[in-house]
Amino acid sequence: MPLARRLSLPDAVAIGLGSMIGAGVFSVWGPAIGVAGNGILIALAIAAVVAFCNATASAQLAAAHPVAGGTYAYARAEIGPWWGFVAGWGFVVGKIASCAAMALTFAAYAAPDGWQVPVAALAVALLVAVNCVGVTRTALLTRILVACSLLGLAVVVAIGAGSVPISEPAPLPDTNAYGVLQGAGLLFFAFAGYARIATLGEEVVDPARTIPRAIVLSLGGAVVVYAAVGIVVMLTLGADAASASAPLAEVVSASEWSALGPVLRITAAAASLGALLALLTGIGRTTLAMAREGDLPRVLARVDERWHVPRRAEIAVGIIVIGIVLLGDLRETIGFSSFGVLLYYLIANAAAFRQMGAARRFPRALQVVGALGCLLLVNTLPLWASLVGTVVVLAGVLYRAVRLRLSTGRQGP
């Protein structure tokens, strides 16, 4: 059964912004400042350029292939099933880690000490339930959460800008080129939300027109928000941001408006929930697409007849995310997520590079820059993140090879 086309351009932009805003603003500044130091804004610029190149590849591919699954489906069509599988597997495992990071970020702002893990797990369960009753409800809730997030962030930027003594900003540690690139790799985690728009290709109205516009609009909006918030965090907290579990709350606490701290925590929690909701939506659709092709168990390919959503896939993803939440750590999940996402976009750029004629909407040079940027950033991630990511990807490749061998054996002479 196909999915229903119900999402408009504002819905798609809201889902993209919801995926990015919560990730970038509320969870990544500490780890990124810790490695990039006084080069944090350069790292942000590098991450934004790579993200823009990747966004043009995703937009071009989505316009030509308006189906669920994102780069998994695009790479299968453009460069072959194995490339599609690696892209889809990288997306699923990387974004499942992102879901855990967003759930833990929500709990860091919303839950009292000692209750973060159970509150994070409960949030995942509740949002999976929302996703199981229709994508239009998902889009509506995401738009509400994004609006709350942007309002709260505007307040934080205003408070921070008015409280920082510009002549004596908080000091940041010195860094080097490698630190800046590693910071860019971590910050790239914050820009990956536009992929969620592409994975909804089967549910967007007029996808050839809507998806490219929504991707560019959501990415542009996120860059503006990140730059404003990053400058405030850098000038207000300096090196202390690296050890802050809730850096934006620390910005407010350091000002004369510290009484607004609880309001900021509510805003941060709303943004994190918006990101988590959009992430769960996108992963469910990619899981559906992979299950349809047999690259994941086919039992996950069923679409609910009443709500027209991949309910089994959503529930399966939710269970895995809850397991990671119960065992994982916020900073570790960010590095692992970046590995999977960079691999995903490397393949997206390769697939878009092959497109010809009417399908080409952007210069090939952007795909070259995007692919090289992904390769560069993935090699600057923490070693453990790259090692674990490589092992997980190879495990997925082995699973597919065994499945194909068994399938061939059953179809033998």
Side-chain angles (χ1 to χ4, degrees), residues 353-388:
F353 184 83
R354 290 175 60 91
Q355 290 184 293
M356 304 288 290
R360 176 146 297 282
R361 293 170 176 249
F362 300 96
R364 271 196 171 87
L366 291 177
Q367 276 98 66
V368 174
V369 173
L372 292 176
C374 289
L375 285 172
L376 179 63
L377 296 184
V378 81
N379 282 287
T380 63
L381 292 174
L383 180 60
W384 63 265
S386 297
L387 289 175
V388 173

PDB file of all heavy atoms in Angstrom, residues 353-388:
ATOM      1  N   PHE A 353      25.779  13.129  -8.710  1.00  0.00           N
ATOM      2  CA  PHE A 353      26.788  13.444  -9.723  1.00  0.00           C
ATOM      3  C   PHE A 353      26.484  12.740 -11.040  1.00  0.00           C
ATOM      4  O   PHE A 353      26.796  13.250 -12.120  1.00  0.00           O
ATOM      5  CB  PHE A 353      28.171  13.040  -9.212  1.00  0.00           C
ATOM      6  CG  PHE A 353      29.305  13.408 -10.122  1.00  0.00           C
ATOM      7  CD1 PHE A 353      29.847  14.686 -10.086  1.00  0.00           C
ATOM      8  CD2 PHE A 353      29.817  12.489 -11.025  1.00  0.00           C
ATOM      9  CE1 PHE A 353      30.884  15.044 -10.931  1.00  0.00           C
ATOM     10  CE2 PHE A 353      30.858  12.829 -11.871  1.00  0.00           C
ATOM     11  CZ  PHE A 353      31.401  14.116 -11.824  1.00  0.00           C
ATOM     12  N   ARG A 354      25.855  11.574 -10.984  1.00  0.00           N
ATOM     13  CA  ARG A 354      25.576  10.780 -12.181  1.00  0.00           C
ATOM     14  C   ARG A 354      24.343  11.256 -12.948  1.00  0.00           C
ATOM     15  O   ARG A 354      24.113  10.823 -14.080  1.00  0.00           O
ATOM     16  CB  ARG A 354      25.394   9.312 -11.804  1.00  0.00           C
ATOM     17  CG  ARG A 354      26.677   8.628 -11.360  1.00  0.00           C
ATOM     18  CD  ARG A 354      26.388   7.218 -10.881  1.00  0.00           C
ATOM     19  NE  ARG A 354      25.778   6.401 -11.924  1.00  0.00           N
ATOM     20  CZ  ARG A 354      26.445   5.647 -12.796  1.00  0.00           C
ATOM     21  NH1 ARG A 354      27.766   5.631 -12.752  1.00  0.00           N
ATOM     22  NH2 ARG A 354      25.815   4.924 -13.686  1.00  0.00           N
ATOM     23  N   GLN A 355      23.540  12.110 -12.343  1.00  0.00           N
ATOM     24  CA  GLN A 355      22.311  12.544 -13.013  1.00  0.00           C
ATOM     25  C   GLN A 355      22.620  13.449 -14.202  1.00  0.00           C
ATOM     26  O   GLN A 355      23.518  14.288 -14.144  1.00  0.00           O
ATOM     27  CB  GLN A 355      21.400  13.265 -12.023  1.00  0.00           C
ATOM     28  CG  GLN A 355      20.802  12.327 -10.978  1.00  0.00           C
ATOM     29  CD  GLN A 355      19.839  13.035 -10.061  1.00  0.00           C
ATOM     30  OE1 GLN A 355      20.255  13.898  -9.286  1.00  0.00           O
ATOM     31  NE2 GLN A 355      18.572  12.681 -10.134  1.00  0.00           N
ATOM     32  N   MET A 356      21.826  13.290 -15.252  1.00  0.00           N
ATOM     33  CA  MET A 356      22.061  14.012 -16.498  1.00  0.00           C
ATOM     34  C   MET A 356      20.780  14.704 -16.959  1.00  0.00           C
ATOM     35  O   MET A 356      19.682  14.445 -16.445  1.00  0.00           O
ATOM     36  CB  MET A 356      22.522  13.029 -17.588  1.00  0.00           C
ATOM     37  CG  MET A 356      23.758  12.218 -17.237  1.00  0.00           C
ATOM     38  SD  MET A 356      25.264  13.195 -17.233  1.00  0.00           S
ATOM     39  CE  MET A 356      25.436  13.498 -18.997  1.00  0.00           C
ATOM     40  N   GLY A 357      20.909  15.558 -17.954  1.00  0.00           N
ATOM     41  CA  GLY A 357      19.768  16.145 -18.640  1.00  0.00           C
ATOM     42  C   GLY A 357      18.845  16.942 -17.748  1.00  0.00           C
ATOM     43  O   GLY A 357      19.275  17.751 -16.919  1.00  0.00           O
ATOM     44  N   ALA A 358      17.537  16.706 -17.906  1.00  0.00           N
ATOM     45  CA  ALA A 358      16.526  17.472 -17.177  1.00  0.00           C
ATOM     46  C   ALA A 358      16.599  17.243 -15.669  1.00  0.00           C
ATOM     47  O   ALA A 358      16.137  18.084 -14.887  1.00  0.00           O
ATOM     48  CB  ALA A 358      15.128  17.102 -17.691  1.00  0.00           C
ATOM     49  N   ALA A 359      17.173  16.121 -15.247  1.00  0.00           N
ATOM     50  CA  ALA A 359      17.260  15.840 -13.810  1.00  0.00           C
ATOM     51  C   ALA A 359      18.269  16.729 -13.106  1.00  0.00           C
ATOM     52  O   ALA A 359      18.196  16.926 -11.887  1.00  0.00           O
ATOM     53  CB  ALA A 359      17.634  14.372 -13.579  1.00  0.00           C
ATOM     54  N   ARG A 360      19.221  17.317 -13.864  1.00  0.00           N
ATOM     55  CA  ARG A 360      20.270  18.126 -13.234  1.00  0.00           C
ATOM     56  C   ARG A 360      19.748  19.524 -12.936  1.00  0.00           C
ATOM     57  O   ARG A 360      19.336  20.253 -13.815  1.00  0.00           O
ATOM     58  CB  ARG A 360      21.499  18.191 -14.143  1.00  0.00           C
ATOM     59  CG  ARG A 360      22.602  19.090 -13.591  1.00  0.00           C
ATOM     60  CD  ARG A 360      23.965  18.582 -13.945  1.00  0.00           C
ATOM     61  NE  ARG A 360      24.229  17.274 -13.341  1.00  0.00           N
ATOM     62  CZ  ARG A 360      24.566  17.110 -12.074  1.00  0.00           C
ATOM     63  NH1 ARG A 360      24.671  18.144 -11.272  1.00  0.00           N
ATOM     64  NH2 ARG A 360      24.787  15.904 -11.607  1.00  0.00           N
ATOM     65  N   ARG A 361      19.822  19.908 -11.663  1.00  0.00           N
ATOM     66  CA  ARG A 361      19.346  21.208 -11.206  1.00  0.00           C
ATOM     67  C   ARG A 361      20.459  22.074 -10.638  1.00  0.00           C
ATOM     68  O   ARG A 361      20.289  23.275 -10.488  1.00  0.00           O
ATOM     69  CB  ARG A 361      18.265  21.023 -10.130  1.00  0.00           C
ATOM     70  CG  ARG A 361      16.983  20.394 -10.650  1.00  0.00           C
ATOM     71  CD  ARG A 361      16.046  20.018  -9.529  1.00  0.00           C
ATOM     72  NE  ARG A 361      14.777  19.511 -10.058  1.00  0.00           N
ATOM     73  CZ  ARG A 361      13.613  20.135  -9.965  1.00  0.00           C
ATOM     74  NH1 ARG A 361      13.542  21.314  -9.356  1.00  0.00           N
ATOM     75  NH2 ARG A 361      12.518  19.606 -10.468  1.00  0.00           N
ATOM     76  N   PHE A 362      21.597  21.461 -10.271  1.00  0.00           N
ATOM     77  CA  PHE A 362      22.697  22.195  -9.657  1.00  0.00           C
ATOM     78  C   PHE A 362      24.000  21.784 -10.330  1.00  0.00           C
ATOM     79  O   PHE A 362      24.115  20.678 -10.866  1.00  0.00           O
ATOM     80  CB  PHE A 362      22.770  21.902  -8.156  1.00  0.00           C
ATOM     81  CG  PHE A 362      21.530  22.270  -7.392  1.00  0.00           C
ATOM     82  CD1 PHE A 362      20.553  21.312  -7.117  1.00  0.00           C
ATOM     83  CD2 PHE A 362      21.324  23.568  -6.956  1.00  0.00           C
ATOM     84  CE1 PHE A 362      19.413  21.642  -6.412  1.00  0.00           C
ATOM     85  CE2 PHE A 362      20.178  23.905  -6.259  1.00  0.00           C
ATOM     86  CZ  PHE A 362      19.229  22.950  -5.986  1.00  0.00           C
ATOM     87  N   PRO A 363      25.035  22.636 -10.300  1.00  0.00           N
ATOM     88  CA  PRO A 363      26.319  22.292 -10.919  1.00  0.00           C
ATOM     89  C   PRO A 363      26.951  21.062 -10.283  1.00  0.00           C
ATOM     90  O   PRO A 363      26.848  20.849  -9.068  1.00  0.00           O
ATOM     91  CB  PRO A 363      27.179  23.547 -10.660  1.00  0.00           C
ATOM     92  CG  PRO A 363      26.219  24.652 -10.418  1.00  0.00           C
ATOM     93  CD  PRO A 363      25.026  24.012  -9.767  1.00  0.00           C
ATOM     94  N   ARG A 364      27.624  20.262 -11.089  1.00  0.00           N
ATOM     95  CA  ARG A 364      28.292  19.072 -10.579  1.00  0.00           C
ATOM     96  C   ARG A 364      29.362  19.421  -9.542  1.00  0.00           C
ATOM     97  O   ARG A 364      29.678  18.611  -8.671  1.00  0.00           O
ATOM     98  CB  ARG A 364      28.945  18.307 -11.732  1.00  0.00           C
ATOM     99  CG  ARG A 364      28.037  17.279 -12.378  1.00  0.00           C
ATOM    100  CD  ARG A 364      28.869  16.320 -13.231  1.00  0.00           C
ATOM    101  NE  ARG A 364      28.049  15.220 -13.691  1.00  0.00           N
ATOM    102  CZ  ARG A 364      27.322  15.250 -14.800  1.00  0.00           C
ATOM    103  NH1 ARG A 364      27.337  16.347 -15.540  1.00  0.00           N
ATOM    104  NH2 ARG A 364      26.590  14.214 -15.163  1.00  0.00           N
ATOM    105  N   ALA A 365      29.934  20.608  -9.654  1.00  0.00           N
ATOM    106  CA  ALA A 365      30.991  20.996  -8.715  1.00  0.00           C
ATOM    107  C   ALA A 365      30.497  20.934  -7.275  1.00  0.00           C
ATOM    108  O   ALA A 365      31.278  20.625  -6.357  1.00  0.00           O
ATOM    109  CB  ALA A 365      31.478  22.408  -9.037  1.00  0.00           C
ATOM    110  N   LEU A 366      29.228  21.218  -7.055  1.00  0.00           N
ATOM    111  CA  LEU A 366      28.695  21.161  -5.697  1.00  0.00           C
ATOM    112  C   LEU A 366      28.715  19.742  -5.154  1.00  0.00           C
ATOM    113  O   LEU A 366      28.980  19.518  -3.973  1.00  0.00           O
ATOM    114  CB  LEU A 366      27.268  21.712  -5.660  1.00  0.00           C
ATOM    115  CG  LEU A 366      27.116  23.214  -5.903  1.00  0.00           C
ATOM    116  CD1 LEU A 366      25.652  23.614  -5.906  1.00  0.00           C
ATOM    117  CD2 LEU A 366      27.868  24.002  -4.833  1.00  0.00           C
ATOM    118  N   GLN A 367      28.446  18.767  -6.018  1.00  0.00           N
ATOM    119  CA  GLN A 367      28.507  17.378  -5.567  1.00  0.00           C
ATOM    120  C   GLN A 367      29.945  16.946  -5.276  1.00  0.00           C
ATOM    121  O   GLN A 367      30.192  16.166  -4.355  1.00  0.00           O
ATOM    122  CB  GLN A 367      27.885  16.442  -6.606  1.00  0.00           C
ATOM    123  CG  GLN A 367      26.380  16.336  -6.498  1.00  0.00           C
ATOM    124  CD  GLN A 367      25.688  17.245  -7.512  1.00  0.00           C
ATOM    125  OE1 GLN A 367      25.793  17.022  -8.704  1.00  0.00           O
ATOM    126  NE2 GLN A 367      24.975  18.248  -7.039  1.00  0.00           N
ATOM    127  N   VAL A 368      30.902  17.454  -6.059  1.00  0.00           N
ATOM    128  CA  VAL A 368      32.312  17.142  -5.803  1.00  0.00           C
ATOM    129  C   VAL A 368      32.743  17.715  -4.449  1.00  0.00           C
ATOM    130  O   VAL A 368      33.357  17.027  -3.637  1.00  0.00           O
ATOM    131  CB  VAL A 368      33.204  17.692  -6.937  1.00  0.00           C
ATOM    132  CG1 VAL A 368      34.679  17.486  -6.590  1.00  0.00           C
ATOM    133  CG2 VAL A 368      32.872  16.998  -8.256  1.00  0.00           C
ATOM    134  N   VAL A 369      32.400  18.977  -4.224  1.00  0.00           N
ATOM    135  CA  VAL A 369      32.750  19.610  -2.945  1.00  0.00           C
ATOM    136  C   VAL A 369      32.071  18.885  -1.784  1.00  0.00           C
ATOM    137  O   VAL A 369      32.671  18.648  -0.732  1.00  0.00           O
ATOM    138  CB  VAL A 369      32.362  21.104  -2.955  1.00  0.00           C
ATOM    139  CG1 VAL A 369      32.560  21.726  -1.564  1.00  0.00           C
ATOM    140  CG2 VAL A 369      33.179  21.856  -3.987  1.00  0.00           C
ATOM    141  N   GLY A 370      30.791  18.518  -1.979  1.00  0.00           N
ATOM    142  CA  GLY A 370      30.067  17.816  -0.930  1.00  0.00           C
ATOM    143  C   GLY A 370      30.694  16.477  -0.591  1.00  0.00           C
ATOM    144  O   GLY A 370      30.870  16.130   0.587  1.00  0.00           O
ATOM    145  N   ALA A 371      31.064  15.706  -1.617  1.00  0.00           N
ATOM    146  CA  ALA A 371      31.668  14.389  -1.382  1.00  0.00           C
ATOM    147  C   ALA A 371      33.027  14.515  -0.698  1.00  0.00           C
ATOM    148  O   ALA A 371      33.331  13.792   0.263  1.00  0.00           O
ATOM    149  CB  ALA A 371      31.812  13.641  -2.704  1.00  0.00           C
ATOM    150  N   LEU A 372      33.861  15.437  -1.179  1.00  0.00           N
ATOM    151  CA  LEU A 372      35.174  15.637  -0.565  1.00  0.00           C
ATOM    152  C   LEU A 372      35.024  16.134   0.874  1.00  0.00           C
ATOM    153  O   LEU A 372      35.785  15.733   1.764  1.00  0.00           O
ATOM    154  CB  LEU A 372      35.997  16.628  -1.395  1.00  0.00           C
ATOM    155  CG  LEU A 372      36.432  16.135  -2.777  1.00  0.00           C
ATOM    156  CD1 LEU A 372      37.165  17.244  -3.528  1.00  0.00           C
ATOM    157  CD2 LEU A 372      37.330  14.899  -2.656  1.00  0.00           C
ATOM    158  N   GLY A 373      34.042  16.998   1.099  1.00  0.00           N
ATOM    159  CA  GLY A 373      33.801  17.487   2.452  1.00  0.00           C
ATOM    160  C   GLY A 373      33.398  16.367   3.391  1.00  0.00           C
ATOM    161  O   GLY A 373      33.859  16.305   4.540  1.00  0.00           O
ATOM    162  N   CYS A 374      32.539  15.467   2.916  1.00  0.00           N
ATOM    163  CA  CYS A 374      32.136  14.321   3.751  1.00  0.00           C
ATOM    164  C   CYS A 374      33.329  13.439   4.090  1.00  0.00           C
ATOM    165  O   CYS A 374      33.496  13.010   5.233  1.00  0.00           O
ATOM    166  CB  CYS A 374      31.070  13.502   3.034  1.00  0.00           C
ATOM    167  SG  CYS A 374      29.455  14.302   2.921  1.00  0.00           S
ATOM    168  N   LEU A 375      34.170  13.160   3.100  1.00  0.00           N
ATOM    169  CA  LEU A 375      35.353  12.335   3.340  1.00  0.00           C
ATOM    170  C   LEU A 375      36.297  12.995   4.338  1.00  0.00           C
ATOM    171  O   LEU A 375      36.858  12.336   5.221  1.00  0.00           O
ATOM    172  CB  LEU A 375      36.081  12.079   2.023  1.00  0.00           C
ATOM    173  CG  LEU A 375      35.441  11.060   1.070  1.00  0.00           C
ATOM    174  CD1 LEU A 375      36.172  11.068  -0.268  1.00  0.00           C
ATOM    175  CD2 LEU A 375      35.464   9.670   1.681  1.00  0.00           C
ATOM    176  N   LEU A 376      36.470  14.312   4.196  1.00  0.00           N
ATOM    177  CA  LEU A 376      37.362  15.033   5.104  1.00  0.00           C
ATOM    178  C   LEU A 376      36.836  15.015   6.532  1.00  0.00           C
ATOM    179  O   LEU A 376      37.568  14.693   7.479  1.00  0.00           O
ATOM    180  CB  LEU A 376      37.521  16.477   4.619  1.00  0.00           C
ATOM    181  CG  LEU A 376      38.404  17.391   5.471  1.00  0.00           C
ATOM    182  CD1 LEU A 376      39.838  16.881   5.496  1.00  0.00           C
ATOM    183  CD2 LEU A 376      38.356  18.826   4.946  1.00  0.00           C
ATOM    184  N   LEU A 377      35.557  15.319   6.698  1.00  0.00           N
ATOM    185  CA  LEU A 377      35.002  15.423   8.043  1.00  0.00           C
ATOM    186  C   LEU A 377      34.901  14.071   8.733  1.00  0.00           C
ATOM    187  O   LEU A 377      35.116  13.971   9.945  1.00  0.00           O
ATOM    188  CB  LEU A 377      33.634  16.101   7.992  1.00  0.00           C
ATOM    189  CG  LEU A 377      33.614  17.557   7.522  1.00  0.00           C
ATOM    190  CD1 LEU A 377      32.209  18.136   7.624  1.00  0.00           C
ATOM    191  CD2 LEU A 377      34.596  18.413   8.309  1.00  0.00           C
ATOM    192  N   VAL A 378      34.577  13.029   7.983  1.00  0.00           N
ATOM    193  CA  VAL A 378      34.441  11.717   8.622  1.00  0.00           C
ATOM    194  C   VAL A 378      35.790  11.225   9.154  1.00  0.00           C
ATOM    195  O   VAL A 378      35.847  10.477  10.133  1.00  0.00           O
ATOM    196  CB  VAL A 378      33.825  10.693   7.644  1.00  0.00           C
ATOM    197  CG1 VAL A 378      34.859  10.122   6.699  1.00  0.00           C
ATOM    198  CG2 VAL A 378      33.143   9.563   8.414  1.00  0.00           C
ATOM    199  N   ASN A 379      36.875  11.683   8.538  1.00  0.00           N
ATOM    200  CA  ASN A 379      38.203  11.277   8.989  1.00  0.00           C
ATOM    201  C   ASN A 379      38.734  12.124  10.133  1.00  0.00           C
ATOM    202  O   ASN A 379      39.860  11.892  10.605  1.00  0.00           O
ATOM    203  CB  ASN A 379      39.187  11.316   7.820  1.00  0.00           C
ATOM    204  CG  ASN A 379      39.053  10.112   6.903  1.00  0.00           C
ATOM    205  OD1 ASN A 379      39.447   9.003   7.257  1.00  0.00           O
ATOM    206  ND2 ASN A 379      38.468  10.310   5.732  1.00  0.00           N
ATOM    207  N   THR A 380      37.964  13.119  10.565  1.00  0.00           N
ATOM    208  CA  THR A 380      38.370  13.915  11.723  1.00  0.00           C
ATOM    209  C   THR A 380      37.529  13.604  12.958  1.00  0.00           C
ATOM    210  O   THR A 380      37.763  14.173  14.019  1.00  0.00           O
ATOM    211  CB  THR A 380      38.243  15.426  11.420  1.00  0.00           C
ATOM    212  OG1 THR A 380      36.876  15.755  11.160  1.00  0.00           O
ATOM    213  CG2 THR A 380      39.092  15.803  10.220  1.00  0.00           C
ATOM    214  N   LEU A 381      36.551  12.709  12.826  1.00  0.00           N
ATOM    215  CA  LEU A 381      35.723  12.357  13.976  1.00  0.00           C
ATOM    216  C   LEU A 381      36.550  11.590  15.002  1.00  0.00           C
ATOM    217  O   LEU A 381      37.593  11.017  14.666  1.00  0.00           O
ATOM    218  CB  LEU A 381      34.536  11.498  13.522  1.00  0.00           C
ATOM    219  CG  LEU A 381      33.479  12.203  12.666  1.00  0.00           C
ATOM    220  CD1 LEU A 381      32.460  11.187  12.168  1.00  0.00           C
ATOM    221  CD2 LEU A 381      32.791  13.316  13.453  1.00  0.00           C
ATOM    222  N   PRO A 382      36.097  11.566  16.260  1.00  0.00           N
ATOM    223  CA  PRO A 382      36.810  10.769  17.268  1.00  0.00           C
ATOM    224  C   PRO A 382      37.024   9.337  16.793  1.00  0.00           C
ATOM    225  O   PRO A 382      36.140   8.737  16.162  1.00  0.00           O
ATOM    226  CB  PRO A 382      35.868  10.833  18.476  1.00  0.00           C
ATOM    227  CG  PRO A 382      35.142  12.126  18.312  1.00  0.00           C
ATOM    228  CD  PRO A 382      34.954  12.295  16.831  1.00  0.00           C
ATOM    229  N   LEU A 383      38.202   8.781  17.085  1.00  0.00           N
ATOM    230  CA  LEU A 383      38.569   7.468  16.560  1.00  0.00           C
ATOM    231  C   LEU A 383      37.558   6.399  16.925  1.00  0.00           C
ATOM    232  O   LEU A 383      37.197   5.554  16.096  1.00  0.00           O
ATOM    233  CB  LEU A 383      39.960   7.079  17.085  1.00  0.00           C
ATOM    234  CG  LEU A 383      40.497   5.718  16.632  1.00  0.00           C
ATOM    235  CD1 LEU A 383      40.608   5.665  15.116  1.00  0.00           C
ATOM    236  CD2 LEU A 383      41.842   5.443  17.292  1.00  0.00           C
ATOM    237  N   TRP A 384      37.068   6.420  18.170  1.00  0.00           N
ATOM    238  CA  TRP A 384      36.123   5.387  18.591  1.00  0.00           C
ATOM    239  C   TRP A 384      34.844   5.451  17.766  1.00  0.00           C
ATOM    240  O   TRP A 384      34.243   4.420  17.459  1.00  0.00           O
ATOM    241  CB  TRP A 384      35.793   5.538  20.078  1.00  0.00           C
ATOM    242  CG  TRP A 384      35.103   6.817  20.422  1.00  0.00           C
ATOM    243  CD1 TRP A 384      35.677   7.964  20.875  1.00  0.00           C
ATOM    244  CD2 TRP A 384      33.705   7.092  20.289  1.00  0.00           C
ATOM    245  NE1 TRP A 384      34.725   8.947  21.036  1.00  0.00           N
ATOM    246  CE2 TRP A 384      33.511   8.428  20.688  1.00  0.00           C
ATOM    247  CE3 TRP A 384      32.608   6.334  19.878  1.00  0.00           C
ATOM    248  CZ2 TRP A 384      32.264   9.038  20.674  1.00  0.00           C
ATOM    249  CZ3 TRP A 384      31.360   6.943  19.871  1.00  0.00           C
ATOM    250  CH2 TRP A 384      31.198   8.274  20.264  1.00  0.00           C
ATOM    251  N   ALA A 385      34.406   6.680  17.406  1.00  0.00           N
ATOM    252  CA  ALA A 385      33.184   6.816  16.609  1.00  0.00           C
ATOM    253  C   ALA A 385      33.371   6.204  15.228  1.00  0.00           C
ATOM    254  O   ALA A 385      32.487   5.507  14.709  1.00  0.00           O
ATOM    255  CB  ALA A 385      32.799   8.289  16.490  1.00  0.00           C
ATOM    256  N   SER A 386      34.540   6.453  14.626  1.00  0.00           N
ATOM    257  CA  SER A 386      34.814   5.883  13.305  1.00  0.00           C
ATOM    258  C   SER A 386      34.929   4.364  13.364  1.00  0.00           C
ATOM    259  O   SER A 386      34.443   3.655  12.473  1.00  0.00           O
ATOM    260  CB  SER A 386      36.100   6.492  12.744  1.00  0.00           C
ATOM    261  OG  SER A 386      35.967   7.882  12.555  1.00  0.00           O
ATOM    262  N   LEU A 387      35.569   3.848  14.416  1.00  0.00           N
ATOM    263  CA  LEU A 387      35.737   2.397  14.528  1.00  0.00           C
ATOM    264  C   LEU A 387      34.397   1.697  14.734  1.00  0.00           C
ATOM    265  O   LEU A 387      34.083   0.708  14.056  1.00  0.00           O
ATOM    266  CB  LEU A 387      36.683   2.074  15.685  1.00  0.00           C
ATOM    267  CG  LEU A 387      38.161   2.423  15.473  1.00  0.00           C
ATOM    268  CD1 LEU A 387      38.960   2.157  16.741  1.00  0.00           C
ATOM    269  CD2 LEU A 387      38.732   1.653  14.306  1.00  0.00           C
ATOM    270  N   VAL A 388      33.595   2.216  15.665  1.00  0.00           N
ATOM    271  CA  VAL A 388      32.283   1.603  15.909  1.00  0.00           C
ATOM    272  C   VAL A 388      31.411   1.720  14.670  1.00  0.00           C
ATOM    273  O   VAL A 388      30.716   0.766  14.275  1.00  0.00           O
ATOM    274  CB  VAL A 388      31.606   2.255  17.126  1.00  0.00           C
ATOM    275  CG1 VAL A 388      30.178   1.739  17.278  1.00  0.00           C
ATOM    276  CG2 VAL A 388      32.395   1.976  18.393  1.00  0.00           C
TER     277      VAL A 388
END
